[in-house]
């Protein structure tokens, strides 16, 4: 396997409105779209569309949304042999509001995602061992994510931990076991206790994250770009973002993580910096059209230079 994602699947219920409603307010929105989401699923679909062998490890409910989720993976070319269906809970749901500025706010009801645990992941040790890159987040049972990190480390498999959604008080193990830790501004603030809204602040936060033990730390700052550093080279590198008009930033971080997994798995000849550059270009394409997975590009639609 090139890329294995251990993570969440949600049905995204997206409402587009002029702005976010105030507490107690009823507003009229522009449109409503149901689409496939979940951070893990998005990262998986983003990677597979770039053209690599990709598998999803996740849990959905025994319901219509669960069936549709698995069919959606199949139609994208994702290997679904490691997906589980449970009778104990329903498929995850994300209620998303997108304002005219392109910003979003999300409430998740995780459902079956939380029933993915270390027990499920332990059973897939060989599969993780045989993957070039493994990707995980914090949107499933945390024991599943921790076990993924442990197995990846045990077998020397490159592993990206996307620390989303933001959690405070994440145990030390998550940092020490992370090869590549990727956080957005909110998540970086919550994990470091520092303000993170510009490049200089992100550089300071990167140092704190590396101090917690991950090998590489990446902070994505949306339209302000990306900063990363590693244990071997703690001097942060800043990569500006391409200027684009954002209509919907939902899942842009997932497009970035999925693309990075693709490049690390298939292009070991690229520098880490170049892999990040290319991934952020792909993420910037996704913000220019509505939806999460709907807006992720396929390889055939991208400029050939991204694959040279
Ligand atoms: O990162 C975007 C995703 O977060 C959405 O697809 C939603 O399902 C939530 O998981
Ligand atoms: Na989008």
């Amino acid at each position: 396997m090139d890329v294995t994602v251990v993570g969440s699947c949600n049905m995204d219920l997206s409402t587009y409105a002029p702005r976010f409603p105030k507490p107690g307010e009823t507003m009229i929105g522009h449109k409503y779209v149901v689409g496939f989401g979940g951070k893990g699923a998005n990262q998986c679909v983003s990677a597979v569309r770039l053209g690599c062998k990709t598998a999803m490890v996740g849990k959905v409910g025994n319901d219509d949304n669960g069936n549709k989720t698995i069919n959606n993976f199949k139609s994208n070319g994702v290997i679904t042999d490691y997906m589980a269906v449970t009778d104990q809970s329903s498929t995850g749901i994300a209620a998303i509001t997108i304002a005219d500025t392109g910003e979003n706010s999300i409430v998740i009801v995780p459902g079956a995602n939380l029933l993915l645990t270390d027990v499920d992941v332990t059973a897939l040790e060989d599969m993780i061992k045989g993957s070039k890159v493994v990707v995980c987040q914090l949107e499933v049972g945390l024991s599943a994510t921790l076990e993924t990190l442990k197995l990846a480390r045990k077998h020397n498999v490159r592993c990206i931990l996307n620390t989303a959604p933001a959690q405070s008080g994440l145990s030390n193990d998550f940092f020490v076991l992370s090869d590549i830790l990727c956080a957005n501004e909110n998540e970086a603030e919550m994990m470091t206790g520092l303000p993170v809204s510009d490049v200089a602040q992100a550089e300071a936060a990167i140092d704190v994250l590396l101090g917690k033990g991950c090998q590489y730390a990446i902070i994505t700052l949306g339209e302000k770009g990306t900063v990363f550093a590693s244990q071997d080279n703690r001097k942060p590198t800043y990569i500006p973002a391409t200027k684009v008009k954002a209509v919907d930033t939902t899942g842009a971080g997932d497009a970035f993580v999925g693309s990075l997994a693709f490049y690390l798995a298939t292009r070991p000849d690229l520098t880490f910096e170049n892999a990040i550059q290319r991934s952020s270009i792909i993420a910037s394409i996704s913000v220019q059209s509505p939806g999460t997975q709907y807006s992720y590009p396929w390889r055939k639609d991208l400029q050939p230079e991204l694959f040279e």
Side-chain angles (χ1 to χ4, degrees):
M1 204 69 66
D2 291 321
V3 173
T4 295
V5 179
V6 178
S8 57
C9 305
N10 292 329
M11 220 46 174
D12 285 356
L13 317 179
S14 299
T15 302
Y16 295 79
R19 54 174 173 76
F20 297 115
K22 299 187 195 116
E25 180 182 14
T26 300
M27 275 178 70
I28 299 191
H30 313 300
K31 68 171 175 178
Y32 170 74
V33 180
V34 177
F36 297 101
K39 295 179 196 302
N42 294 344
Q43 292 165 11
C44 183
V45 166
S46 156
V48 82
R49 287 190 183 176
L50 298 179
C52 60
K53 197 172 173 206
T54 307
M56 181 72 195
V57 177
K59 207 168 255 189
V60 292
N62 188 7
D63 49 28
D64 195 38
N65 286 340
N67 280 333
K68 286 182 179 156
T69 295
I70 291 177
N71 286 335
N72 173 59
F73 282 136
K74 287 187 178 145
S75 59
N76 276 280
V78 172
I79 295 162
T80 57
D81 301 351
Y82 312 97
M83 283 296 298
V85 179
T86 176
D87 287 319
Q88 311 305 313
S89 192
S90 43
T91 301
I93 291 283
I96 307 179
T97 307
I98 298 107
D100 281 352
T101 54
E103 292 167 302
N104 64 71
S105 66
I106 309 181
V107 176
I108 297 166
V109 182
N113 290 304
L114 287 186
L115 300 183
L116 188 78
T117 67
D118 52 344
V119 178
D120 300 289
V121 177
T122 307
L124 300 174
E125 177 161 357
D126 285 345
M127 191 260 181
I128 286 175
K129 183 179 173 187
S131 304
K132 291 194 183 124
V133 173
V134 173
V135 183
C136 51
Q137 322 75 30
L138 304 175
E139 217 172 42
V140 291
L142 282 187
S143 70
T145 301
L146 194 57
E147 181 66 6
T148 305
L149 292 170
K150 283 183 185 160
L151 290 176
R153 177 64 51 91
K154 177 176 172 193
H155 297 294
N156 219 355
V157 172
R158 272 218 122 157
C159 188
I160 306 176
L161 171 64
N162 173 220
T163 52
Q167 311 240 353
S168 57
L170 205 57
S171 89
N172 240 4
D173 295 346
F174 284 88
F175 296 95
V176 175
L177 289 168
S178 281
D179 179 17
I180 301 162
L181 185 141
C182 182
N184 70 10
E185 293 144 285
N186 283 332
E187 294 149 19
E189 286 189 352
M190 207 172 274
M191 292 184 294
T192 63
L194 298 172
V196 182
S197 55
D198 60 29
V199 176
Q201 291 176 338
E203 291 180 351
I206 288 268
D207 204 55
V208 174
L209 293 175
L210 288 172
K212 289 174 178 280
C214 54
Q215 294 304 307
Y216 286 79
I218 306 173
I219 297 181
T220 57
L221 299 163
E223 58 184 10
K224 290 183 213 120
T226 309
V227 183
F228 78 92
S230 66
Q231 297 291 355
D232 292 341
N233 182 7
R234 284 183 84 138
K235 190 176 165 309
T237 303
Y238 168 60
I239 298 166
T242 335
K243 287 269 164 292
V244 295
K245 177 160 175 16
V247 299
D248 185 355
T249 59
T250 319
D254 300 331
F256 173 82
V257 170
S259 305
L260 184 62
F262 163 81
Y263 282 116
L264 295 177
T266 62
R267 295 296 304 274
D269 57 314
L270 300 179
T271 62
F272 197 72
E273 178 172 0
N274 192 258
I276 290 187
Q277 257 156 4
R278 293 178 189 218
S279 304
S280 71
I281 291 173
I282 294 169
S284 75
I285 292 170
S286 81
V287 305
Q288 296 173 66
S289 52
T292 45
Q293 292 180 28
Y294 282 129
S295 65
Y296 294 172
W298 292 82
R299 184 177 186 131
K300 64 173 175 44
D301 301 320
L302 289 164
Q303 51 195 100
E305 297 80 67
L306 283 168
F307 302 97
E308 274 161 11

